[in-house]
Amino acid sequence: MDRGGIPTIAELMALLATKAAEVEALAAERDSLARRILKLEEELALARLHRFAPRSEKHLDRVFNEAEQASLEDDTDDGHDDVDEPAAADLPDTGLPEARKPEGKKRGRKPLPADLPRQRVEYDLADDQKVCPCCSERMHRMGEVVTEQLHIEVKATALQNARAKYACRNCDRTGIATPIVIAPMPAQPLPGSIATASTLAFALVHKYVDGTPLYRLAQTFERAGVPVSRGALGRWVIASSERHLHRIFDALKLRL
């Protein structure tokens, strides 16, 4: 500053440069905060998606043309017999070593597991069809052609537990109090419930392994002819978890 207290041009230029640097720093901080806000908004949207969107199925499993895409996989079952690929034309001998042919994809469906229970269904010709169309003599059975199909059937049945009930005729005749003895049942996973161990396993596998919501599981029971409410399914799941699944949890916790 000069003697009159007025800043010089150099001082004004230095102050202006300082203010410009501060403005630039504030702008950079503003841009950084804007990017952080955008990132936080994206994380919030992703968290909401994970919390409220259906997580029981992958996105690829919900595409409209799932059947068309799945049919392009190697293990197909198109209802036709296997047909060999046509042989490629032989190339002229060039004297060069034979090129290694790429391994082609194996065609045809995979055989059913050998340990799968087999149910034999026989089909035979009618008696009037067992006559030779050439000489009209009766034909003999020379063998059979066996093909296998996968058969899965979901059927609900009612399991009746008939417990034998015994009483003493002598005590009944003599007027003494007649003791009544009823045959005991094996320990049940949920005493007093209509669900058997197999039914509970069916519900728990669909709930925890397949990720099926309870309302869809209730629809599955309804299609099988046995309406089971969502509340009953919830009680089955909670009671099974409290009574039995805690052992699995303790074992996993001990192992980890």
Side-chain angles (χ1 to χ4, degrees):
M1 294 185 182
D2 57 7
R3 296 179 180 180
I6 301 175
T8 63
I9 297 178
E11 292 175 344
L12 291 175
M13 295 297 294
L15 181 61
L16 183 61
T18 303
K19 296 298 181 180
E22 292 178 357
V23 171
E24 186 177 357
L26 291 176
E29 184 178 2
R30 181 198 61 189
D31 295 337
S32 176
L33 291 176
R35 290 192 297 268
R36 180 172 176 80
I37 291 174
L38 180 61
K39 181 181 178 181
L40 292 176
E41 288 178 349
E42 293 177 349
E43 291 178 354
L44 178 60
L46 183 62
R48 288 177 175 175
L49 180 64
H50 281 293
R51 181 177 181 182
F52 300 109
R55 292 178 294 174
S56 61
E57 301 164 346
K58 296 181 180 179
H59 177 70
L60 294 178
D61 294 335
R62 300 198 301 268
V63 295
F64 180 76
N65 58 341
E66 175 190 2
E68 286 76 4
Q69 292 184 2
S71 64
L72 300 177
E73 297 179 0
D74 296 340
D75 186 14
T76 59
D77 186 4
D78 53 5
H80 300 286
D81 295 335
D82 296 337
V83 179
D84 296 335
E85 288 284 352
D90 295 333
L91 298 177
D93 187 9
T94 60
L96 298 176
E98 183 178 358
R100 185 176 180 181
K101 298 181 180 180
E103 298 181 358
K105 296 182 179 180
K106 297 182 179 179
R107 294 174 58 86
R109 65 178 69 94
K110 296 180 181 179
L112 295 177
D115 56 348
L116 199 65
R118 260 65 178 177
Q119 180 180 359
R120 184 180 175 88
V121 180
E122 295 187 358
Y123 302 92
D124 201 353
L125 295 175
D127 291 337
D128 58 349
Q129 295 177 346
K130 296 179 181 179
V131 179
C132 178
C134 180
C135 63
S136 299
E137 292 291 332
R138 188 168 184 82
M139 295 187 296
H140 71 282
R141 181 168 178 171
M142 59 174 294
E144 61 184 10
V145 177
V146 179
T147 58
E148 292 188 342
Q149 293 178 303
L150 179 62
H151 177 70
I152 298 178
E153 182 179 2
V154 179
K155 183 189 301 182
T157 59
L159 183 62
Q160 292 184 343
N161 301 305
R163 303 167 60 188
K165 188 176 181 179
Y166 290 87
C168 179
R169 292 186 180 275
N170 184 36
C171 293
D172 192 15
R173 287 194 303 267
T174 57
I176 306 176
T178 303
I180 298 176
V181 180
I182 302 175
M185 286 181 56
Q188 299 297 308
L190 295 182
S193 175
I194 64 172
T196 63
S198 177
T199 304
L200 294 176
F202 179 83
L204 292 175
V205 167
H206 277 73
K207 171 62 179 174
Y208 292 114
V209 179
D210 299 334
T212 305
L214 291 182
Y215 77 91
R216 292 188 182 177
L217 188 56
Q219 294 174 355
T220 302
F221 277 95
E222 187 173 1
R223 286 194 301 268
V226 184
V228 179
S229 66
R230 184 182 178 187
L233 291 173
R235 288 189 292 270
W236 291 357
V237 170
I238 294 175
S240 300
S241 302
E242 293 176 349
R243 286 176 172 266
H244 307 291
L245 296 186
H246 67 86
R247 299 183 178 89
I248 301 178
F249 173 80
D250 294 340
L252 291 175
K253 184 178 180 180
L254 180 62
R255 180 60 180 268
L256 296 176

